[in-house]
Amino acid sequence: MTRSESERDDRLLVTFLKQHQPVPPPPAVDLEARLFAQIAGDRPCRKQRTLPYFGMALVVALLGVSGMWVLGRQPRAALSAAERQDIETALMQSWTIAIDRDIDATVNPIASADIVSTNNGSEASVWDTTAFYADPASPPTTDP
Amino acid sequence: MVVSMGIEQSSSPDESDESLLQGCLQGQHRCFRQLYRRHERKVRSTLYQLCGGDSLDDLVQEVFLRAWKGLAKFRQASRFSTWLYRIAINVAFDRRRSLAVGRWCSTSASPEQLIAVAEAAPASAPHEGLMDIHYRDLVQRGLAQLSADRRAAIVLHDLEELPQKEVAEILGVPVGTVKSRLFHARAAMRQFLESQGVEL
């Protein structure tokens, strides 16, 4: 079916529908009077007050801001003086050990490396892998 | 000219809907009466095509009551008649829900109604014959078999002669959806009428 045929069919149908469309029965004679009796002394509802909406929006905004403030706060643990002292001592100790090792490494790098002894009595650095190939069955021992 | 409250001024018949609305917002019932008389017939016809004759007066009254109560919310972005049609559609849909039927409100005429129409026909429309009454009943039954959405589209566009854009605004759907509903509604109506022996 072409477009023009379809349009012609639609026109025919619409004409038929309009020609034979159901006609509503006439209204009751007192319908208008009943309607206006219902709205007598009444005015159209005023626009709803904006104050409740404004108040709700304000509450939501305040909740949002306070939520962001709570989430944005950094956690700060309250430490006692004794705990602070312990932490400081621990930190000082770890720093001291680290500094001592650094000094040893600077003065004698070989001495600071781990020394292992082989079973034939000679000493070798852990990096000297050829020492182990002499007797692979004997595990290396660490000098005390 | 009807003056309902005595102190209210009479209104001109050609007063625009907008100026009558302003009067309504000031509580002037005569302005609303003017609007009622201007639009009642269209609202009544639309409701009848959608819901049939049962409680038609109540439905019409409901539409205008809702309109009166909601006048302050009417923003005049659309025409008053468009807004009123929208209320009418909502009332019809509410009616359908309250009846809780699978289809739309039944508009098929009972035999008693047909007899009453036939008896009244010579007085109201002397040219109207039995075939006209028969075709009218067929149109009623054809509309009744459509889904609510399609029925609303074909009633508003083809019977009430509203443009598709306004139908879309009333139904709250895109124009393309209105076109689709019209296409399917017409196809269903054509099929029904042909099945009843009507040659278009």
Side-chain angles (χ1 to χ4, degrees), chain A residues 10 18 22 32 38-39 45, chain B residues 33 37 49 61 72 190:
Chain A
D10 280 351
K18 276 185 195 165
E32 186 176 327
Q38 284 210 40
I39 64 174
C45 295
Chain B
R33 191 182 293 272
R37 290 181 175 175
Q49 315 301 342
Q61 188 171 322
R190 193 176 290 116

Side-chain angles (χ1 to χ4, degrees), chain B residues 118-147:
Chain B
E119 286 174 348
S124 58
H127 59 279
E128 192 176 51
L130 281 176
M131 283 309 288
D132 290 324
I133 297 169
H134 173 62
Y135 286 150
R136 193 172 292 172
D137 182 52
L138 284 184
V139 172
Q140 275 191 325
R141 285 163 49 199
L143 288 173
Q145 63 155 5
L146 297 176
S147 68

Side-chain angles (χ1 to χ4, degrees), chain A residues 21-29 31, chain B residues 40-41 44-45 47-49 51-57 60 107 113 116-117 120 136 140:
Chain A
Q21 69 172 300
V23 179
V29 287
L31 177 62
Chain B
E40 184 266 346
R41 196 183 58 80
R44 186 176 188 80
S45 171
L47 286 171
Y48 183 63
Q49 315 301 342
C51 289
D54 291 343
S55 308
L56 184 60
D57 282 352
V60 173
T107 58
Q113 285 174 315
V117 170
R136 193 172 292 172
Q140 275 191 325

Side-chain angles (χ1 to χ4, degrees), chain A residues 28-70:
Chain A
V29 287
D30 62 338
L31 177 62
E32 186 176 327
R34 271 192 282 146
L35 172 67
F36 282 88
Q38 284 210 40
I39 64 174
D42 192 14
R43 290 172 72 98
C45 295
R46 306 307 302 171
K47 282 181 183 170
Q48 295 211 343
R49 288 162 51 202
T50 54
L51 191 58
Y53 294 109
F54 178 74
M56 283 170 61
L58 190 65
V59 168
V60 169
L62 282 174
L63 284 173
V65 168
S66 54
M68 286 170 64
W69 179 71
V70 168

Side-chain angles (χ1 to χ4, degrees), chain A residues 98-115:
Chain A
I99 289 167
D100 288 347
R101 280 189 180 171
D102 285 349
I103 291 170
D104 288 346
T106 308
V107 172
N108 187 3
I110 298 172
S112 65
D114 290 330
I115 304 298

Side-chain angles (χ1 to χ4, degrees), chain B residues 136-200:
Chain B
R136 193 172 292 172
D137 182 52
L138 284 184
V139 172
Q140 275 191 325
R141 285 163 49 199
L143 288 173
Q145 63 155 5
L146 297 176
S147 68
D149 292 336
R150 291 175 184 175
R151 186 167 170 181
I154 200 170
V155 165
L156 291 173
H157 184 265
D158 288 352
L159 299 184
E160 297 300 323
E161 301 179 340
L162 298 178
Q164 289 183 354
K165 191 179 171 191
E166 192 172 351
V167 175
E169 201 176 336
I170 291 167
L171 299 178
V173 296
V175 175
T177 306
V178 172
K179 287 181 179 175
S180 167
R181 289 179 184 175
L182 274 176
F183 173 80
H184 290 292
R186 285 171 180 167
M189 283 299 288
R190 193 176 290 116
Q191 193 177 1
F192 173 78
L193 292 172
E194 284 172 358
S195 73
Q196 299 295 317
V198 177
E199 288 182 12
L200 295 172

